[in-house]
Amino acid sequence: MKAPLAVTMGEPAGIGPDLILTLFAERHRRNLPAFIVFGHAGFLAARARRLGLDIAIVECTPADAGSLFADRLPVFPIAGHVVDRPGDADAAAAPVVIAAIEAAVAATLAGACRAVVTAPINKAALYQAGFRHPGHTEFLADLTAQGGVPKLPVMMLAHGDLRTVPLTIHVPIKDVPGLVTGPLIVETLAVMAEDLRRRFGIAAPKIAVAGLNPHAGEDGAIGREDVEIIAPALALARAGGIDAVGPLPADTLFYPPHWRQFDAVLAMYHDQALIPIKTVAFDAGVNVTLGLPIVRTSPDHGTAFGLAGSGKASPSSFSAAIEMAHTMTMQEA
C-alpha cells in the first residue's frame, strides 16, 4: 500500500477544514487517494458536526492511514488550543497551524507520507505567534533545506496543461523591474525544467518567457529590460540545455494556440502569471511549489472567512490539488 498524502489543516477559521471534511465525505465518488490530516482532531470533529457531516475521525500515524481511510478520516493529532469559530481567526491557534505544517513536512521527508497538500493559512494570525516567513512557500523551503541551504522555491499555478510561474511574487509593481535579474531568471528556469521532467513526465520541456514591458519592449523602444536583462538570460539558459523561448509579448502569449505550444510559461510578475489561470480556472487551479525535495501542492485560493462553516465553499481547487499531488508522486515513482 502506497504512503498517504499529508494534508495540513490550515487556518481553523477559514474554509480549509470545511473542504478537507467535504472531500473526505466525497472520497469514493471522487476516487481520491488516501490522505491523513495533520491537525487538531477535536476541532475537526466539531467542524464536521457544524457542517452536518457524519464523519468518524480516528487519530493515527501515517502508517495506519491507508487501511483506515475507507471508513474513517485519519488524523495525525496536533495538540493545542483550537476552537470552532468560522470567520474569527484566533492567534492562539497559530502554534497548532505551524506545528501541523512542520509535522507533515517531516513525515514526507521521512517517507511516511508521499506529498504535502496544504490548506490556506492566515499569515496575520501566524505572525503573532512568531512566524517570520512571507508565506507557505518560503517556510517549506526552510523546512526542507538540505545541508542548511534551501533551494530556490518556485511557485507554479497549474490547470491542465496551462502552467504559469511568476518570477517575482508578492512585491509592489514599482519594485518589479529591479528584481528582474539575469541570475534569477536562469535559476528559475533551471528549477522549472528539472521539475517538469522529474514530476510531470515531460522529457524535453519547452518554456515560454514573457517580456516585462508592453510588446516585450519592442527592441528597447518601450523599456530596456527585455533586451538587456531577459534576452541575455535566456541565451545563457539555452546554452545550459534549457529550451526557453522569448521574451514574448505577454498580451498575446496567453492566446490558447500560442501557450499550447509550450509546457510552461515564466512570467515576470504576479498578475501577469495569475490572471490567465484565474480566468480559465478560477476555482480549479492548483498552486505547486517547485524546487523542493518533496511534492507540495495547495488549492489556489485563500481562507475565505466569509464562507467558512457555511458548507457553500467549492472543493474543486482542493480536490485538484490532492489529485495533482497524487499524479506527481506516481510520475516521480
Side-chain angles (χ1 to χ4, degrees):
M1 182 177 292
K2 289 193 173 294
L5 303 175
V7 175
T8 63
M9 180 182 72
E11 167 56 51
I15 61 170
D18 300 35
L19 302 183
I20 293 168
L21 293 163
T22 299
L23 289 173
F24 177 76
E26 299 176 356
R27 65 198 179 283
H28 298 305
R29 179 175 68 80
R30 292 177 178 268
N31 194 29
L32 293 178
F35 59 80
I36 179 170
V37 182
F38 286 71
H40 193 283
F43 159 74
L44 290 167
R47 182 60 61 87
R49 289 192 296 271
R50 178 185 292 274
L51 295 172
L53 297 174
D54 183 15
I55 293 176
I57 293 175
V58 58
E59 296 184 358
C60 66
T61 66
D64 297 320
S67 61
L68 296 169
F69 189 76
D71 303 307
R72 287 168 283 179
L73 174 62
V75 174
F76 184 92
I78 306 294
H81 173 81
V82 187
V83 295
D84 179 28
R85 288 203 300 265
D88 183 11
D90 183 358
V96 177
V97 175
I98 295 169
I101 299 169
E102 293 171 336
V105 169
T108 306
L109 285 171
C113 295
R114 56 193 171 100
V116 176
V117 182
T118 58
I121 57 175
N122 175 31
K123 287 177 285 188
L126 299 190
Y127 290 150
Q128 296 182 49
F131 190 74
R132 290 294 177 265
H133 297 81
H136 254 134
T137 301
E138 296 81 2
F139 188 34
L140 292 166
D142 280 354
L143 290 176
T144 58
Q146 297 172 321
V149 180
K151 286 185 65 177
L152 174 71
V154 171
M155 183 175 83
M156 171 183 283
L157 285 301
H159 174 69
D161 292 333
L162 177 58
R163 308 178 186 96
T164 66
V165 168
L167 183 75
T168 61
I169 307 178
H170 299 120
V171 297
I173 197 72
K174 66 181 178 61
D175 295 340
V176 169
L179 297 172
V180 173
T181 66
L184 180 59
I185 292 170
V186 172
E187 187 176 4
T188 301
L189 286 169
V191 170
M192 292 173 66
E194 178 183 354
D195 273 23
L196 287 169
R197 285 191 294 264
R198 181 161 60 106
R199 290 173 170 161
F200 287 85
I202 301 171
K206 185 175 183 179
I207 302 172
V209 180
L212 173 66
N213 295 296
H215 305 170
E218 286 194 357
D219 294 323
I222 311 176
R224 302 293 302 173
E225 292 88 355
D226 297 279
V227 294
E228 294 180 355
I229 298 173
I230 301 175
L234 301 192
L236 281 175
R238 286 191 290 268
I242 297 172
D243 189 359
V245 179
L248 302 172
D251 63 340
T252 55
L253 173 55
F254 290 104
Y255 176 51
H258 292 173
W259 69 255
R260 287 196 174 107
Q261 301 175 49
F262 304 96
D263 299 299
V265 175
L266 174 61
M268 292 298 107
Y269 54 93
H270 182 277
D271 287 9
Q272 197 181 56
L274 271 65
I275 286 174
I277 287 283
K278 302 246 183 203
T279 299
V280 301
F282 185 80
D283 61 354
V286 178
N287 185 336
V288 185
T289 304
L290 309 180
L292 302 179
I294 61 173
V295 169
R296 179 265 178 154
T297 66
S298 179
D300 182 26
H301 58 66
T303 52
F305 288 136
L307 289 174
S310 70
K312 297 178 180 179
S314 170
S316 297
S317 183
F318 214 129
S319 178
I322 289 173
E323 291 162 10
M324 184 171 288
H326 171 67
T327 300
M328 289 173 68
T329 53
M330 294 297 287
Q331 180 66 48
E332 193 173 29

